[in-house]
């Protein structure tokens, strides 16, 4: 990389870091302090380094631009932050009451099961479809533009109403521009009308997000959204075309029809959860994110066509820019699309002026411009991965090709080098999302990569033909379906192979180790011929050899290798910790832990096996030793703890220890709800304020999770009396997985398990426990309702993932060798 490259790369990195830090710690950006500090730092560094010779002047220039870029981003954050979360919105969220919101849709709605309805679990004995409601639930990004008085049975006092009405009159609740994520209902015949640019009225509740999130709040709708206004014409044409194309592709068979809209126009709303997870596991999900490759194909096609028509260069470039703009509107301006489109625009303008730019400086300039326009992109994983993948291709693809060409033909070396370069550049960020390594990522890209441009081009042609020549477009769609189906087949096959995801260190440590290894690989790839005998290549090789040996040893010696066989999309894991409960619920990189078992050592081993460093939600159902004895293993690693009512001073001290470790302590009761990634959770027991069954086994905190194809319920140590009481209070309805109460004791309610009709019953129990758990009583109850029992005493660690069909599950059991069982849902 040249000095000119660094003069833009370093300022881009400085700007990105400044925005990332200021957004993560909002108080740092209060007022204009952040910009002033950056400018002061800039002046101080320049004055200091001007005294250093002979390299002082060049370094001063680079640092001056770095500080200026950081000051620019600091100023942008300072100016934009107040408008993203006005005090009026903050107060409405704090009230946790119903309000009526005006929202503008800003992303394509996708169906979701993690829906913020008032309750997740319907009346006892109801069918699961009835429990979840007849209408589909959708999730989309939007802009909160206004809050109307009144609202959905908010329960405001007269004084609160007067205050809110006055706020609306003087404008503090109008003309807002607050980015939000919306969970809402949509009727079957109107779901397609929620197009980008539509203005909606929705009765909902607001909940603020954590600092640094791209959205300032979550909106949980109550009832159907009302369409207030349709998209403007310059967005409406694209919405209609997307809807038409997605509907036409949906009539094609299998995964190919579901995947084609994503490949052609970036619309992934039709991709089922299991296919989405397979694409991620096989490192192919980038194919459904429209980015540089798609933009390059579109521009190249336009330039070739206009060149064939003999048009002048200026006209050709102008037509290309207009086509690019229309393409961005059609595929929606996602971060990767914006990055690719802006790079293409600057490149075309450079060609028009006779001064085409080079790749790395151009990428750095685009990063600075986009972050200045929207500093919150600094915390977008999609934007980061898009930039890193592009940088990897620009910097590493050519050297890797030359290196591989020593042993392979040039064309094959290039084909392998391209996905490998992108994978190397992105891997440090990918481990933050999922602490695993994709074993088959590069081979999967080699097989699927050539099909992606064909699906993109042919699919886009079919999309444009649909309004005018639907018959011809139908034939073209079938041609586009072939490469799409091929890509889906590659994704599912590679995701299903043993060890498709190897476990890796999570969090910041995992990222730093990955960065170190990536730097060592890059250093070896980029070294010159005259540097072969230098000391640093030997050091890089030593680091790689040591890391490979240590990693292989950890897989074999520490038992981590068991995780190689886990389903990549696992959602529930019951730890084998003896006579006690410790069960993990997961959504990608988010984790909840229900109880901690009796022994911190056994719990630590289980969490290490699962690759878990941080617990987002800890649920302590009650305070018996077999449920809280292992708590020392997670102190300092918990964000939020949902706990029952403390019974004595020891319980209070446990709360204090968790709080001292940084956890927020929340006493849980029926009606409490929240989210874990895209899973929705709800507390069903105990009842707040009730004079009975509040503590001990009978007061066990009972929590349910819903999303990504699995509804689960964790009963703690509830006995028959409390189970029947839970059932009488609008019982949970049917679920897919139930954690059997009290380790399978005989104190159970047959009626509750009949209502649950679970596919799988998890029994967390110790070998030769002395209590006779699980009893024949509970095993007979489970068998009579068609629930298949899985036991940690006989089968060890249990891991559950969604199965390939509706209601089906995949259960991995440790047993002696480890086996995977496909479990069909109840018939």
């Amino acid at each position: 990389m040249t000095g000119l490259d660094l003069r833009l790369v370093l300022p881009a990195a400085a700007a990105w870091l400044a925005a990332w830090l200021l957004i993560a710690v909002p108080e740092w950006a209060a007022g204009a302090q952040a910009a002033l500090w950056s400018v002061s730092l800039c002046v101080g560094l320049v004055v200091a380094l001007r005294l250093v010779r002979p390299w002082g002047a060049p370094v001063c220039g680079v640092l001056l631009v770095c500080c200026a870029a950081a000051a620019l981003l600091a100023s942008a954050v300072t100016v934009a932050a107040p408008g993203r979360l006005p005090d009026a919105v903050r107060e409405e969220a704090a009230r946790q009451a119903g309000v009526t919101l005006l929202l503008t849709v800003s992303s394509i709605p996708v169906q979701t099961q993690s829906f913020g309805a008032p309750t997740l679990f319907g009346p006892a004995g109801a069918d699961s479809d009835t429990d979840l409601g007849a209408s589909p639930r959708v999730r989309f990004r939007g802009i909160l533009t206004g809050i109307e008085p009144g609202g959905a049975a908010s329960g405001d006092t007269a004084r609160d109403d007067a205050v809110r009405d006055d706020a609306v009159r003087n404008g503090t609740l109008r003309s807002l521009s607050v980015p939000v994520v919306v969970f809402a209902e949509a009727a079957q015949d109107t779901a397609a009308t929620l197009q980008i640019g539509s203005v909606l009225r929705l009765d909902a509740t607001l909940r603020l997000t954590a600092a640094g999130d791209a959205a300032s709040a979550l909106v949980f709708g109550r009832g159907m959204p009302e369409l207030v206004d349709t998209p403007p014409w310059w967005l409406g044409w694209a919405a209609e075309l997307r809807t038409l194309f997605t509907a036409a592709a949906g009539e094609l068979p299998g995964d190919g029809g579901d995947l084609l809209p994503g490949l052609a126009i970036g619309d992934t709303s039709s991709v089922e959860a299991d296919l989405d997870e397979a694409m991620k596991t096989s490192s192919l999900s980038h194919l459904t994110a429209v980015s540089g490759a798609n933009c390059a194909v579109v521009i190249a096609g336009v330039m070739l066509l206009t060149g064939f028509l003999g048009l002048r260069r200026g006209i050709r470039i102008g037509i290309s820019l207009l086509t690019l703009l229309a393409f961005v509107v059609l595929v929606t301006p996602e971060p990767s699309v914006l990055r690719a489109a802006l790079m293409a625009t600057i490149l075309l303008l450079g060609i028009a002026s006779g001064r085409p730019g080079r790749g790395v400086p151009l990428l750095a300039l685009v990063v600075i411009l986009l972050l200045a326009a929207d500093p919150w992109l600094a915390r977008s994983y999609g934007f980061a991965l898009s930039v890193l993948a592009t940088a990897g291709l620009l910097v590493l693809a050519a050297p890797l090709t030359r290196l591989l060409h020593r042993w392979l033909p040039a064309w094959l070396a290039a084909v392998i080098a391209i996905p490998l370069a992108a994978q190397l550049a992105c891997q440090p960020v990918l481990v933050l999302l999922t602490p695993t390594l994709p074993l088959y990522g590069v081979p999967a890209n080699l097989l699927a990569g050539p099909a992606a441009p064909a699906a993109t081009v042919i699919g886009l042609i079919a999309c444009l033909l649909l309004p005018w020549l639907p018959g011809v477009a139908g034939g073209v769609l079938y041609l586009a379906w072939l490469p799409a189906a091929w890509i889906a087949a590659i994704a599912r096959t590679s995701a299903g192979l043993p060890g498709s995801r190897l476990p890796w260190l999570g969090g910041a440590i995992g990222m730093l180790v990955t960065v170190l290894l990536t730097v060592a690989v890059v250093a070896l790839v980029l070294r010159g011929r005259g540097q072969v005998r230098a000391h640093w290549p030997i050091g890089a090789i030593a680091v790689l050899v040591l890391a490979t040996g240590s990693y292989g040893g950890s897989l074999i010696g520490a038992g981590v290798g068991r995780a190689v066989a886990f389903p990549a999309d696992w959602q529930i894991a019951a730890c084998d910790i003896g006579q006690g409960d410790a069960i993990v619920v997961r959504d990608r990189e988010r984790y909840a832990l229900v109880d901690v078992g009796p022994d911190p050592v056994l719990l630590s081993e289980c969490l290490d096996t699962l690759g878990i460093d941080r617990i987002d939600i800890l649920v302590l159902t009650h305070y018996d030793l077999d449920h809280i004895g292992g708590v020392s293993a997670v102190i300092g690693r918990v964000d939020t703890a949902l706990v029952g009512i403390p019974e004595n001073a020891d319980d209070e001290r446990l709360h204090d220890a968790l709080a001292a470790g940084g956890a927020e302590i929340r006493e849980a009761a029926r009606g409490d709800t929240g989210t874990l990634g895209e899973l929705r959770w709800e507390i069903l027991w105990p009842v707040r304020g009730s004079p009975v069954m509040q503590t001990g086994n009978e007061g066990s905190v009972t929590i349910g999770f819903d999303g990504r194809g699995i509804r689960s319920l964790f009963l703690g140590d509830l006995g028959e009396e409390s189970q029947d009481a839970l059932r009488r209070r609008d019982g949970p309805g049917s679920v897919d997985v139930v954690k059997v109460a009290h380790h399978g004791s005989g104190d159970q309610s047959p009626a509750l398990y009949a209502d649950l009709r679970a596919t799988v019953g998890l029994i967390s129990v110790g070998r030769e426990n002395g209590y006779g758990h699980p009893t024949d009583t509970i095993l007979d109850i489970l068998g009579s309702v068609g629930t298949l029992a899985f036991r940690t005493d006989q089968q060890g660690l249990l891991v559950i993932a969604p199965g390939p069909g509706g209601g089906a599950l995949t259960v991995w059991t440790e047993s002696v060798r480890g086996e995977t069982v496909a479990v069909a849902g109840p018939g």
Side-chain angles (χ1 to χ4, degrees):
M1 193 177 296
T2 66
L4 178 61
D5 292 347
L6 288 176
R7 284 199 290 272
L8 271 174
V9 170
L10 292 179
W16 198 321
L17 180 61
W20 194 92
L21 290 173
L22 293 171
I23 292 169
V25 189
E27 54 268 24
W28 289 5
Q33 297 178 73
L36 291 175
W37 290 341
S38 298
V39 172
S40 300
L41 177 63
C42 167
V43 173
L45 286 172
V46 169
V47 171
L49 289 171
R50 286 292 295 175
L51 304 176
V52 181
R53 299 292 180 183
W55 50 270
V59 172
C60 281
V62 173
L63 288 177
L64 177 62
V65 179
C66 287
C67 293
L72 171 65
L73 267 294
S75 301
V77 173
T78 302
V79 171
R84 289 175 57 89
L85 189 58
D87 291 338
V89 176
R90 193 186 301 273
E91 291 167 4
E92 290 293 339
R95 292 186 325 112
Q96 286 293 295
V99 292
T100 300
L101 307 177
L102 290 177
L103 302 157
T104 301
V105 181
S106 59
S107 74
I108 298 173
V110 296
Q111 290 197 11
T112 178
Q113 289 182 307
S114 56
F115 173 63
T119 59
L120 284 173
F121 297 86
D127 292 332
S128 58
D129 289 343
T130 304
D131 299 342
L132 292 173
S135 302
R137 281 140 297 274
V138 294
R139 181 188 74 254
F140 57 88
R141 294 193 305 277
I143 302 296
L144 171 60
T145 58
I147 302 178
E148 296 184 347
S154 62
D156 290 345
T157 64
R159 178 179 177 278
D160 289 336
D161 279 336
V163 170
R164 295 181 70 249
D165 290 347
D166 181 65
V168 171
R169 283 193 296 273
N170 63 37
T172 57
L173 294 183
R174 294 187 185 275
S175 301
L176 301 173
S177 184
V178 179
V180 295
V181 173
V182 183
F183 297 86
E185 292 185 50
Q188 295 285 359
D189 57 344
T190 62
T193 67
L194 301 181
Q195 301 292 353
I196 294 176
S198 298
V199 179
L200 311 176
R201 181 181 286 111
L202 179 64
D203 292 335
T205 56
L206 282 170
R207 179 172 298 143
L208 300 184
T209 59
D213 200 294
S216 298
L218 302 177
V219 174
F220 296 106
R222 297 179 173 183
M224 297 288 181
E226 175 189 350
L227 183 63
V228 176
D229 197 7
T230 56
W233 67 267
W234 52 275
L235 290 176
W237 71 269
E240 294 175 3
L241 194 55
R242 279 195 302 270
T243 301
L244 192 62
F245 181 72
T246 302
E251 297 178 1
L252 298 173
D255 292 333
D258 295 338
L259 194 59
L260 182 56
L263 294 166
I265 59 173
D267 182 355
T268 60
S269 59
S270 299
V271 178
E272 298 291 338
D274 55 342
L275 178 58
D276 178 64
E277 193 65 33
M279 293 288 288
K280 289 181 172 65
T281 301
S282 55
S283 296
L284 295 177
S285 59
H286 64 93
L287 297 180
T288 57
V290 176
S291 59
N294 305 72
C295 292
V297 168
V298 170
I299 292 175
V302 173
M303 291 292 284
L304 288 173
L305 178 61
T306 52
F308 177 77
L309 296 175
L311 300 179
R312 294 165 52 187
R313 184 174 68 175
I315 297 176
R316 293 169 63 194
I317 291 175
I319 294 175
S320 297
L321 289 174
L322 290 175
T323 304
L324 181 62
L325 176 61
F327 181 70
V328 170
V329 174
L330 176 63
V331 303
T332 73
E334 296 292 330
S336 60
V337 177
L338 290 175
R339 191 273 313 158
L342 187 55
M343 282 190 71
T345 300
I346 295 175
L347 183 61
L348 286 172
L349 293 176
I351 293 173
S353 65
R355 300 180 61 184
R358 290 183 294 115
V360 173
L362 177 59
L363 176 63
L365 176 62
V366 166
V367 166
I368 294 174
L369 292 176
L370 287 176
L371 290 180
D374 182 6
W376 273 259
L377 285 175
R379 299 189 57 92
S380 166
Y381 279 106
F383 183 65
L385 291 172
S386 175
V387 171
L388 288 173
T390 305
L393 295 176
L394 292 172
V395 176
L396 295 177
L400 279 171
T401 299
R402 290 193 295 268
L403 180 65
L404 295 173
H405 184 40
R406 299 177 185 177
W407 305 282
L408 300 172
W411 67 270
L412 182 57
V415 168
I416 296 175
I418 290 173
L420 182 58
Q423 191 73 44
L424 283 172
C426 293
Q427 197 58 51
V429 173
L430 290 173
V431 297
L432 291 176
L433 288 169
T434 304
T436 57
L437 298 179
L439 184 59
Y440 309 115
V442 172
N445 274 274
L446 289 176
L447 294 172
T456 298
V457 173
I458 302 173
L460 190 57
I461 292 172
C463 181
L464 297 176
L465 288 176
L466 272 171
W468 317 104
L469 298 170
V472 176
V476 178
L477 270 174
Y478 273 99
L479 292 178
W481 174 85
L482 292 172
W486 168 257
I487 292 171
I490 294 297
R492 288 198 182 276
T493 301
S494 60
L497 294 174
S500 57
R501 284 280 181 178
L502 297 177
W504 189 251
L505 298 171
I509 295 178
M511 184 194 70
L512 292 174
V513 172
T514 308
V515 168
L516 175 63
L517 298 178
T518 302
V519 169
V521 172
V522 172
L524 291 175
V525 171
L526 298 181
R527 75 183 190 277
R529 291 184 178 275
Q531 297 174 319
V532 175
R533 296 186 179 181
H535 294 297
W536 62 262
I538 298 175
I541 293 172
V543 168
L544 292 174
V545 171
L546 179 62
T548 302
S550 300
Y551 182 63
S554 69
L555 288 178
I556 298 171
V560 180
R562 292 181 295 177
V564 172
F566 292 173
D569 57 344
W570 71 268
Q571 187 178 125
I572 299 172
C575 294
D576 181 14
I577 40 77
Q579 182 74 2
D581 278 359
I583 301 181
V584 175
V585 180
R586 164 192 180 242
D587 181 52
R588 294 195 178 98
E589 75 280 8
R590 303 290 185 183
Y591 299 95
L593 176 62
V594 183
D595 287 327
V596 293
D599 188 339
V601 174
L602 294 176
L603 178 62
S604 294
E605 291 177 356
C606 181
L607 295 179
D608 289 344
T609 296
L610 298 171
I612 300 174
D613 289 323
R614 192 78 190 169
I615 305 296
D616 296 275
I617 300 173
L618 172 66
V619 183
L620 295 180
T621 60
H622 60 298
Y623 298 95
D624 288 351
L625 185 63
D626 56 341
H627 293 258
I628 65 166
V631 73
S632 61
V634 296
I635 288 178
R637 303 166 64 182
V638 176
D639 292 334
T640 301
L642 304 177
V643 299
I645 299 173
E647 300 178 50
N648 51 47
D650 288 338
D651 301 342
E652 296 280 6
R653 282 192 288 271
L654 185 151
H655 293 182
D656 293 340
L658 286 168
E664 175 191 358
I665 307 299
R666 293 169 54 184
E667 196 169 287
R670 182 179 179 84
D672 294 347
T673 60
T675 57
L676 177 75
E678 294 190 16
L679 306 183
R680 179 90 167 129
W681 59 261
E682 180 182 354
I683 303 296
L684 282 78
W685 193 266
V687 178
R688 184 174 279 114
S690 172
V692 295
M693 293 190 292
Q694 290 288 285
T695 59
N697 287 355
E698 301 303 319
S700 293
V701 174
T702 301
I703 188 170
F705 291 86
D706 182 20
R708 294 197 179 277
I710 296 179
R711 304 181 79 217
S712 55
L713 184 65
F714 300 84
L715 295 174
D717 276 2
L718 294 182
E720 182 175 8
E721 182 182 1
S722 50
Q723 290 176 26
D724 284 334
L726 167 65
R727 178 174 175 268
R728 287 193 297 268
R729 280 187 167 270
D730 295 329
S734 63
V735 299
D736 300 296
V737 177
V738 60
K739 200 290 295 184
V740 174
H742 205 181
H743 322 293
S745 75
D747 188 16
Q748 309 283 348
S749 167
L752 176 63
Y753 288 97
D755 289 346
L756 296 177
R757 293 188 294 113
T759 303
V760 167
L762 294 177
I763 304 177
S764 186
V765 62
R767 301 172 184 84
E768 301 178 0
N769 55 77
Y771 301 99
H773 297 164
T775 63
D776 291 339
T777 300
I778 185 58
L779 295 177
D780 290 342
I781 290 174
L782 296 176
S784 67
V785 298
T787 299
L788 187 60
F790 287 85
R791 306 165 44 170
T792 58
D793 61 333
Q794 294 183 351
Q795 294 157 306
L797 175 66
L798 306 171
V799 178
I800 299 177
L809 299 173
T810 298
V811 183
W812 182 93
T813 62
E814 184 178 7
S815 300
V816 178
R817 299 184 307 274
E819 60 179 347
T820 302
V821 181
V823 183

